[in-house]
């Protein structure tokens, strides 16, 4: 056997052994209106397959997913597979008018992609208007066959989806805010697995119950699917051992409280080491924006020891024990928690940087346009709320998706002059001049060469109000190498960089009045939006997109668009 043939044979054997156990998993998602009763009232709610939350998808690392989405609802829809790397399959990423046009009522589209090198908990959700208020579900990625978790196998696993519920049609809520220029109404409840729990009216009977046995260790896969609110999560009298986040394993650490920004996931082990009884799991807001209204209610589920269950015998179950949750504005607890994350193994952090970027993020206020009546300018002092990155308020196209425009060379849809630095340097976290409150609208992308090593400093600003912003980058995981407060200072703050074992995430909470530094290698060609995962902020323009060019050869080139890609 010649040397070339020998190597080809070895490669083929390795390839076949890797792909032998990989499966193609096929699902059908029917988007439809379903009667859902919460807080004493029944709403015609948009769901998937009549389920709320939607179906949990369970796959193995290396599997391919094919999900046909059939839109039988009355709104445009797309589905985003939050945190999936989508290597060369940008057409399946899902944000509307970025990688695809929406699936119109009556239409359908099949998302096809392979999940490679990711294990743990991700999730899927609508990425069109505010449909993700009810259109979401868990995506669980297990190790390949024959492989195991890097921690003792838990007795059972439970997805815990934290959500947000409006006693109204969420689409009407966001449309009203768009009309008036004011902030949208806050939610009426938070939910755990779509149930508000005991502390809300008409909700006790359906409260989510999570079983546990004395002595067993269980895995909770916690997902923050709320639209606009970072959330604290706690289980009364129990410690939680964090073992993963955003489908990457972490060095285990133990905590009594979690904080997840919208979009983030955290895998935790919980041990049945307390007297058999019933214990509340509870979640409520972490509110970092001063004087901004927010939903200050608390959602609960019940961790129930089997020997304390009343399902089999008629008895009065004990009232669950309630955890003491942090204060709404407890940034100190958030900081301690977020700085506890480390990669399980030594990380391959890019060190020689090709693109050093600095992005300011924050809110803004647009002056009332002369042709608008007063009722359309109900923001502070007769303005309209807006938001921006580097003073550009992102505007989505309406006739093409950005990826389509790039791939087909359609002119006039976007420009590639998104600024690498803020157009003006100022005291980002101090008293900001009113002249900086009004950003410039635009559809500006930033071009990256294939394989370039990228560092981004994400700097919060105190324009209107400082706030903790969960920033999510599509198509990539990134290393969070440092976080801090105040204005980022390259002279002082580079000494804080962790280049050994920083956590690998897809969504970073940029601290209130602070900064975060992330790094990644641009090895996935396509158009990838980076945005705040507080949906009210993406509506206002707190987003930008990277155009990552093709590299050399087929494996560094985005695939051709599928034939059933929706047209605008």
């Amino acid at each position: 056997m010649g040397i070339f043939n020998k190597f080809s044979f070895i490669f083929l054997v390795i390839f076949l052994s890797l792909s032998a156990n990989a499966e193609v998993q096929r699902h059908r998602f029917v988007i439809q209106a379903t009667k859902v009763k919460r807080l004493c009232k029944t709403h015609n709610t948009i769901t998937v397959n009549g389920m709320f939350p939607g179906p949990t998808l369970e796959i193995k690392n290396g599997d391919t997913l094919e999900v046909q989405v059939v839109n039988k609802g009355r709104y445009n829809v797309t589905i985003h597979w939050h945190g999936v790397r989508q290597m060369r399959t940008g057409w399946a990423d899902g944000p509307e008018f970025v990688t695809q046009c929406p699936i119109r009522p009556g239409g359908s589209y099949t998302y096809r992609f392979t999940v490679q090198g990711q294990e743990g908990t991700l999730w899927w959700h609508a990425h069109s208007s505010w449909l993700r208020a009810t259109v979401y579900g868990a995506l669980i990625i297990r190790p390949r066959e024959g492989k195991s978790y890097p921690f003792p196998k838990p007795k059972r696993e439970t997805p815990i989806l934290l959500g947000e519920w409006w006693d109204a049609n969420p689409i009407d809520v966001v449309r009203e805010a768009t009309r008036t220029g004011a902030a949208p109404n806050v939610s009426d409840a938070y939910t755990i697995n779509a149930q508000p729990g005991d502390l809300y009216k008409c909700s006790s009977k359906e409260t989510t119950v999570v079983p546990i046995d004395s002595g067993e260790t269980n895995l909770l896969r916690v997902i923050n699917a709320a639209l606009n609110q970072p959330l604290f999560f706690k289980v009364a009298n129990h410690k939680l051992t964090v073992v993963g986040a955003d489908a990457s394993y972490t060095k285990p650490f133990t905590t009594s409280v979690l904080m997840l920004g919208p979009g983030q996931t955290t895998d935790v082990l919980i041990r049945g080491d307390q007297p058999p009884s019933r214990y509340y799991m509870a979640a409520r807001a972490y509110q970092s924006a001063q004087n901004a209204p927010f939903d200050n209610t608390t959602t609960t589920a019940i961790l129930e020891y089997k020997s304390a269950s009343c399902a089999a015998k008629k008895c009065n179950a004990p009232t669950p024990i309630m955890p003491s949750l942090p204060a709404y504005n407890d940034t100190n607890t958030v900081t301690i928690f977020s700085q506890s994350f480390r990669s399980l193994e030594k990380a391959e952090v890019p060190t020689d940087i090709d693109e050093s970027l600095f992005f300011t993020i924050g809110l803004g206020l647009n002056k009332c346009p002369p042709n608008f009546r007063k009722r359309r300018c109900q923001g502070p002092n007769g303005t309209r709320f807006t938001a921006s990155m580097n003073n550009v308020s992102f505007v989505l196209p309406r006739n093409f998706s950005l990826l389509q425009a790039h791939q087909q060379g359609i002119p006039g849809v976007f420009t590639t002059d998104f600024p690498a630095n803020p157009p003006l340097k100022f005291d980002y976290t101090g008293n900001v001049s009113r002249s900086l409150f009004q950003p410039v609208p635009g559809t500006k992308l930033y071009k990256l060469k294939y394989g370039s090593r990228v560092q981004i400093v994400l700097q919060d600003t105190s324009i209107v109000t400082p706030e903790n912003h969960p920033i999510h980058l599509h198509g990539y995981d990134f290393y969070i190498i440092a976080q801090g407060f105040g204005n980022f200072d390259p002279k002082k703050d580079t000494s804080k960089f962790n280049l050994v074992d920083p956590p690998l995430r897809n969504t970073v909470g940029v601290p209130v009045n602070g900064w975060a530094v992330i790094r990644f290698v641009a090895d996935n060609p396509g158009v990838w939006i980076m945005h705040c995962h507080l949906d009210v902020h993406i509506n206002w323009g707190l987003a930008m997109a990277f155009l990552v060019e093709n590299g050399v050869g087929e494996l560094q080139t985005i695939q051709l668009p599928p034939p059933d890609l929706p047209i605008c």
Side-chain angles (χ1 to χ4, degrees):
M1 189 184 282
I3 190 155
F4 177 76
N5 287 352
K6 192 173 170 184
F7 280 122
S8 299
F9 178 74
I10 292 167
F11 177 78
L12 186 64
V13 168
I14 293 168
F15 175 75
L16 289 174
S17 66
L18 280 176
S19 57
N21 295 321
E23 294 173 24
V24 178
Q25 306 238 17
R26 293 181 176 86
H27 299 271
R28 189 168 191 257
F29 278 11
V30 179
I31 309 291
Q32 62 193 56
T34 305
K35 288 200 176 342
V36 173
K37 188 175 185 181
R38 295 290 185 276
L39 310 181
C40 318
K41 268 167 68 181
T42 301
H43 292 274
N44 251 346
T45 299
I46 303 296
T47 64
V48 170
N49 300 347
M51 297 165 66
F52 177 51
T56 294
L57 302 185
E58 300 191 30
I59 64 170
K60 295 189 305 295
N61 180 359
D63 283 357
T64 296
L65 266 171
E66 288 189 6
V67 185
Q68 183 194 28
V69 177
V70 180
N71 188 1
K72 292 190 176 175
R74 49 193 263 241
Y75 305 109
N76 292 341
V77 73
T78 65
I79 300 289
H80 169 52
W81 313 92
H82 186 109
V84 172
R85 284 289 324 263
Q86 296 289 1
M87 298 301 290
R88 304 177 50 239
T89 51
W91 306 105
D93 189 43
E96 77 171 349
F97 296 113
V98 178
T99 58
Q100 68 167 101
C101 298
I103 306 165
R104 307 284 181 192
S108 75
Y109 175 49
T110 300
Y111 293 89
R112 292 180 181 85
F113 55 92
T114 301
V115 176
Q116 285 280 19
Q118 295 182 284
E119 288 176 23
T121 306
L122 294 175
W123 62 302
W124 56 266
H125 60 80
H127 211 298
S128 188
S129 184
W130 270 22
L131 281 185
R132 86 169 177 87
T134 55
V135 178
Y136 61 84
L139 172 57
I140 294 169
I141 311 159
R142 302 191 189 288
R144 296 178 192 276
E145 216 142 299
K147 302 280 184 188
S148 58
Y149 297 134
F151 46 83
K153 193 173 192 301
K155 185 76 192 294
R156 74 179 89 227
E157 304 181 7
T158 311
I160 302 286
L161 292 111
L162 309 177
E164 213 170 351
W165 176 263
W166 276 260
D167 202 5
N169 178 347
I171 303 291
D172 292 344
V173 174
V174 67
R175 282 179 177 171
E176 175 67 8
T178 304
R179 235 187 335 268
T180 63
N185 290 345
V186 299
S187 54
D188 297 289
Y190 300 112
T191 56
I192 296 178
N193 293 354
Q195 293 296 343
D198 288 354
L199 307 186
Y200 298 91
K201 60 185 180 183
C202 306
S203 301
S204 287
K205 275 190 191 149
E206 287 76 28
T207 299
T208 298
V209 176
V210 177
I212 195 165
D213 253 352
S214 290
E216 75 183 21
T217 299
N218 293 348
L219 177 65
L220 303 180
R221 299 175 176 275
V222 188
I223 299 165
N224 186 352
L227 239 70
N228 294 317
Q229 194 61 59
L231 294 165
F232 289 116
F233 175 82
K234 203 167 179 180
V235 183
N237 295 9
H238 288 73
K239 293 269 200 248
L240 303 170
T241 300
V242 175
V243 291
D246 293 0
S248 291
Y249 295 121
T250 62
K251 285 193 173 78
F253 69 93
T254 301
T255 176
S256 62
V257 63
L258 312 179
M259 196 291 286
L260 295 89
Q264 293 185 319
T265 73
T266 308
D267 289 350
V268 297
L269 298 173
I270 185 168
R271 191 160 167 73
D273 58 5
Q274 294 301 303
S277 189
R278 304 167 87 228
Y279 299 86
Y280 274 131
M281 303 175 153
R284 78 174 188 189
Y286 164 50
Q287 178 63 2
S288 59
Q290 283 185 328
N291 304 323
F294 69 101
D295 178 351
N296 63 0
T297 62
T298 302
T299 179
T300 55
I302 298 168
L303 181 75
E304 185 174 75
Y305 280 72
K306 278 185 133 177
S307 49
S309 166
C310 278
K313 48 195 183 294
K314 287 184 179 167
C315 66
N316 290 323
T319 303
I321 298 158
M322 189 72 186
S324 61
L325 286 151
Y328 297 116
N329 63 350
D330 189 348
T331 294
N332 193 36
T333 290
V334 173
T335 305
I336 292 165
F337 176 69
S338 62
Q339 292 185 349
S340 301
F341 285 86
R342 298 279 183 276
S343 281
L344 184 57
E345 291 163 349
K346 189 175 185 312
E348 293 177 23
V349 188
T351 47
D352 300 326
I353 298 301
D354 303 305
E355 296 273 3
S356 190
L357 309 175
F358 188 104
F359 292 174
T360 54
I361 56 178
L363 305 184
L365 297 172
N366 281 333
K367 293 189 185 88
C368 195
N371 57 332
F372 276 28
R373 294 186 178 167
K374 268 191 179 160
R375 63 169 182 258
R376 295 202 61 193
C377 299
Q378 291 180 32
N381 305 320
T383 58
R384 289 176 61 83
F385 272 109
T386 183
S388 67
M389 297 177 86
N390 276 357
N391 204 46
V392 179
S393 188
F394 195 66
V395 179
L396 286 168
R398 277 284 169 262
N399 298 325
F400 302 96
S401 74
L402 294 169
L403 185 55
Q404 191 186 2
H406 161 58
Q407 220 249 352
Q408 296 176 8
I410 301 163
V413 178
F414 63 82
T415 57
T416 53
D417 55 348
F418 185 86
N421 294 282
L424 195 71
K425 282 187 176 165
F426 56 98
D427 179 3
Y428 307 115
T429 54
N431 285 330
V432 181
S433 158
R434 289 272 157 164
S435 62
L436 295 172
F437 274 41
Q438 181 149 338
V440 180
T443 310
K444 295 173 184 285
L445 277 54
Y446 190 89
K447 202 183 270 192
L448 292 172
K449 281 201 160 50
Y450 183 91
S452 56
R453 293 155 297 191
V454 184
Q455 173 178 296
I456 311 172
V457 177
L458 295 162
Q459 173 73 59
D460 187 29
T461 65
S462 54
I463 297 175
V464 185
T465 179
E467 191 168 354
N468 180 297
H469 293 275
I471 301 295
H472 172 48
L473 174 60
H474 287 229
Y476 287 90
D477 287 328
F478 48 74
Y479 290 106
I480 305 173
I481 60 169
Q483 287 171 290
F485 291 97
N487 298 335
F488 177 77
D489 180 347
K491 290 192 184 76
K492 283 194 330 220
D493 292 329
T494 44
S495 65
K496 299 172 188 161
F497 286 5
N498 173 7
L499 302 179
V500 179
D501 59 356
L504 189 65
R505 303 293 300 255
N506 62 53
T507 305
V508 56
V510 177
V512 54
N513 249 334
W515 50 267
V517 183
I518 65 171
R519 287 187 182 179
F520 64 96
V521 177
D523 59 358
N524 192 9
V527 175
W528 307 105
I529 190 169
M530 184 164 80
H531 65 89
C532 181
H533 220 276
L534 306 177
D535 273 29
V536 56
H537 291 177
I538 187 175
N539 281 70
W540 291 339
L542 212 172
M544 59 78 64
F546 288 107
L547 193 169
V548 181
E549 296 176 316
N550 285 330
V552 178
E554 188 186 355
L555 294 179
Q556 297 182 4
T557 301
I558 190 165
Q559 293 176 5
L560 290 172
D564 63 339
L565 188 74
I567 52 173
C568 286

